[in-house]
Amino acid sequence: MRRGPNGGPQQAAVLTTANGSPVEVRRSARRTRTVAAFWEDGTAVVAIPARFTAAQEREWVHRMLAKLHKQGERQAAAGRRRPASDEALAAHAAQLSAQYLGGRPVPTSVRWVSNQNSRWGSATPAEGTIRLSDKLRPMPQWVIDYVLLHELAHLLVASHNAAFWKLLETYPETQRAKAFLEGVSFATSRGLDKEVTAGSGHAPDTWAGDAD
């Protein structure tokens, strides 16, 4: 253990990605040559051979985190194209599930709907189905992603309890998206929603997000 300037134990620096997500380095005796990086429950995991020196570890962790960052940028660019079809929405939900929820929620269907009048999204855990209001379409992608993750989390935890909200801590835009939707609801309740909906002709729903 390293010692600090006062002779006491020096805490090791906590390794994080560029966006503040935690990083875990896993050494494996079975891994002899290859290095891998992936997301697991919101943590960036870098798997390296057990024989690597500290210098090799630093080098490869830096390389693999850079690759994960580029992968995230490509996914974000794809997300900005907006998943217009139900098939694209389902594929995007699968990506979000893998990146932020460890791939645990696996919906049987994810689709846009036009008949939700009291919520942005809904889920039926018993059937594994998710529905998103099409009134979300003109909103920022990070808001849509939050609603998708919210409903994906409901496939694991039906109620809005502490365990449910713990799942959403892995998504860095959770609080920002919640504030955005609260602002939309505020504007709607006061008849100020025309600018918020970008001339869509529809008043947005208030956020509920409860499972059916």
Side-chain angles (χ1 to χ4, degrees):
M1 178 181 293
R2 294 182 180 179
R3 295 285 170 179
N6 297 323
Q10 179 176 309
Q11 296 295 327
V14 177
L15 189 60
T16 62
T17 64
N19 66 358
S21 297
V23 176
E24 177 185 346
V25 180
R26 291 182 186 171
R27 288 176 173 265
S28 172
R30 292 182 298 177
R31 187 179 292 275
T32 59
R33 300 179 59 124
T34 60
V35 178
F38 53 91
W39 288 98
E40 183 178 276
D41 293 339
T43 296
V45 178
V46 181
I48 63 174
R51 63 178 177 79
F52 269 16
T53 64
Q56 287 175 312
E57 176 181 321
R58 286 193 299 271
E59 176 187 354
W60 279 99
V61 167
H62 177 76
R63 286 190 190 182
M64 300 311 287
L65 290 181
K67 288 187 177 182
L68 277 182
H69 181 70
K70 288 182 180 179
Q71 181 185 58
E73 288 182 332
R74 288 195 298 268
Q75 290 176 349
R80 285 193 290 271
R81 292 196 289 271
R82 298 192 180 275
S85 67
D86 289 348
E87 292 77 9
L89 188 64
H92 189 58
Q95 290 179 352
L96 292 174
S97 175
Q99 182 170 354
Y100 296 106
L101 298 172
R104 287 178 292 164
V106 182
T108 57
S109 71
V110 185
R111 58 193 178 91
W112 295 105
V113 296
S114 59
N115 61 351
Q116 294 202 125
N117 298 316
S118 62
R119 60 189 66 189
W120 296 114
S122 60
T124 306
E127 299 177 0
T129 57
I130 290 174
R131 297 157 297 281
L132 261 59
S133 170
D134 61 2
K135 295 170 188 176
L136 284 166
R137 290 179 185 267
M139 296 188 186
Q141 186 61 45
W142 49 269
V143 174
I144 298 173
D145 287 357
Y146 165 69
V147 178
L148 263 176
L149 282 165
H150 189 110
E151 302 310 330
L152 284 166
H154 270 313
L155 297 185
L156 302 176
V157 181
S159 63
H160 289 116
N161 57 21
F164 172 83
W165 291 112
K166 184 69 175 177
L167 292 172
L168 292 178
E169 288 181 358
T170 59
Y171 182 55
E173 302 293 350
T174 288
Q175 296 305 320
R176 183 184 177 205
K178 288 175 66 177
F180 180 96
L181 292 170
E182 288 169 0
V184 172
S185 297
F186 179 88
T188 303
S189 67
R190 286 157 179 75
L192 305 174
D193 56 284
K194 290 184 179 180
E195 292 184 6
V196 175
T197 55
S200 65
H202 297 285
D205 303 324
T206 55
W207 169 251
D210 294 331
D212 290 345

